[in-house]
Amino acid sequence: MAYENIIVSTEGGVGLIQLNRPKALNALSTAMVIELNAALDGFEQNDGIGAIIITGNEKAFAAGADVREMKDKTFADVKSENFLHSWDHINNITKPIIAAVSGFALGGGCEFALACDIIIAAETAKFSLPETSLGIIPGAGGTQRLLRALGKAKAMDMILTHRMIDAGEAERSGLVSRVVPADQLMKEALAMAAKIAGLSHPVVKAAKQAVKAAEELPLSAGLKLERDLIHSMFDLHDQKEGMAAFLEKRTPKFENR
Ligand code: HXC
């Protein structure tokens, strides 16, 4: 697929997707989300890829869903086309996805980052959910994921006041896992992704599956899933290799099986 709104590349075992509509501050149009989904599927199916990074540019990760595209839509339009359903596809990706955020991550841009597994932020990153100021509400998972990630107090504050928070507050709140100097963002994101990609892929997928399930399941069901998953790890070559390597004081050679 030829991409017009994103730039796709690889670096070792890491798949890289750069949002590329700089004139519109990477506003997420439907066309861009469809391209993102295709790129994610490509990396999902590529056995050589163990982790994925989604990033933007210095000024914006993404300043939201594309307001120009949404402005004139009617209720009938959004219902009949099931508007935003393409935004759900990221949930089907089993490999870890890191959002490397510099500048604005607003509205749908913030929600898209939240749908990733880890957010690493530049010191310049700014997050907000300004949808209520536009006469809508967050609609790509923001109301659900923000509450789970930050708790009710911060989620209500951000959603109802559309206050913009900086990288430091985002880190203190649990929205992002690390804040780094802006000129180090991609270096740090790539190092993080390469570290993950160097682990056994089925093990990483199981870990992601278990953590994601914790957002959905009651504790007893989550603990049962975790137990089933760790039991299944003992069927892997990489479990034998990982433990043997530890005892032999050498680096493991994982074969993703
Ligand atoms: C379409 C957008 C856009 C967006 C910016 N642009 N955000 N176009 N959709 N979400 C466009 C502007 O119209 C402008 O185009 C160009 O990008 C540069 O933006 P400026 O506003 O001129 O830049 P600046 O003065 O630096 O201000 C930056 C900004 C501001 C503070 C980030 O652009 C802003 O507030 N953007 C909108 C943020 C927002 O409300 N996002 C939520 C969208 S709703 P021109 O052609 O004039 O140069 C949403 C709903 C999600 O995300 C629902 C579920 C997915």
Side-chain angles (χ1 to χ4, degrees), residues 4-168:
E4 291 180 2
N5 300 289
I6 59 175
I7 298 170
V8 179
S9 60
T10 59
E11 188 136 343
V14 178
L16 267 164
I17 302 173
Q18 183 180 11
L19 309 180
N20 190 35
R21 291 185 73 204
K23 287 186 182 150
L25 302 185
N26 289 335
L28 290 147
S29 60
T30 301
M32 187 193 251
V33 174
I34 287 169
E35 289 185 11
L36 258 166
N37 291 343
L40 287 170
D41 281 343
F43 289 142
E44 177 78 0
Q45 285 149 22
N46 181 343
D47 290 342
I49 295 297
I52 300 163
I53 296 174
I54 301 178
T55 194
N57 58 45
E58 243 171 67
K59 180 160 185 192
F61 176 75
D66 191 323
V67 176
R68 278 190 180 77
E69 185 180 275
M70 287 184 288
K71 180 179 147 292
D72 294 324
K73 283 187 192 295
T74 65
F75 181 50
D77 292 336
V78 295
K79 277 313 235 189
S80 64
E81 71 188 60
N82 193 11
F83 179 54
L84 296 173
H85 78 277
S86 56
W87 289 60
D88 298 336
H89 187 70
I90 191 169
N91 301 327
N92 301 325
I93 305 300
T94 62
K95 295 179 181 177
I97 305 172
I98 297 164
V101 175
S102 188
F104 297 112
L106 311 181
C110 182
E111 295 181 82
F112 204 82
L114 269 166
C116 296
D117 300 307
I118 299 173
I119 304 177
I120 176 168
E123 283 165 350
T124 55
K126 294 181 179 65
F127 299 86
S128 91
L129 289 171
E131 281 95 336
T132 49
S133 72
L134 296 169
I136 56 171
I137 66 167
T143 61
Q144 304 303 297
R145 292 202 178 95
L146 203 67
L147 181 122
R148 285 165 171 75
L150 276 62
K152 181 183 164 196
K154 232 19 169 202
M156 283 291 192
D157 182 353
M158 284 185 69
I159 291 168
L160 296 180
T161 73
H162 53 86
R163 184 167 66 85
M164 200 175 278
I165 65 170
D166 63 16

Side-chain angles (χ1 to χ4, degrees), residues 102-244:
S102 188
F104 297 112
L106 311 181
C110 182
E111 295 181 82
F112 204 82
L114 269 166
C116 296
D117 300 307
I118 299 173
I119 304 177
I120 176 168
E123 283 165 350
T124 55
K126 294 181 179 65
F127 299 86
S128 91
L129 289 171
E131 281 95 336
T132 49
S133 72
L134 296 169
I136 56 171
I137 66 167
T143 61
Q144 304 303 297
R145 292 202 178 95
L146 203 67
L147 181 122
R148 285 165 171 75
L150 276 62
K152 181 183 164 196
K154 232 19 169 202
M156 283 291 192
D157 182 353
M158 284 185 69
I159 291 168
L160 296 180
T161 73
H162 53 86
R163 184 167 66 85
M164 200 175 278
I165 65 170
D166 63 16
E169 185 172 356
E171 186 182 30
R172 289 192 298 279
S173 308
L175 176 58
V176 312
S177 67
R178 301 183 198 177
V179 179
V180 299
D183 61 358
Q184 298 294 305
L185 178 66
M186 287 317 293
K187 184 171 163 258
E188 294 288 338
L190 275 163
M192 180 193 273
K195 186 169 188 180
I196 295 169
L199 297 169
S200 169
H201 295 184
V203 170
V204 169
K205 284 183 179 186
K208 168 169 169 165
Q209 182 187 348
V211 175
K212 282 191 74 167
E215 290 192 324
E216 312 237 4
L217 295 176
L219 182 60
S220 57
L223 291 172
K224 164 86 169 61
L225 174 71
E226 182 191 74
R227 188 62 47 84
D228 289 345
L229 283 168
I230 191 178
H231 284 170
S232 73
M233 302 289 95
F234 286 81
D235 199 28
L236 291 175
H237 161 276
D238 288 342
Q239 174 267 327
K240 300 287 173 291
E241 169 61 10
M243 294 191 178

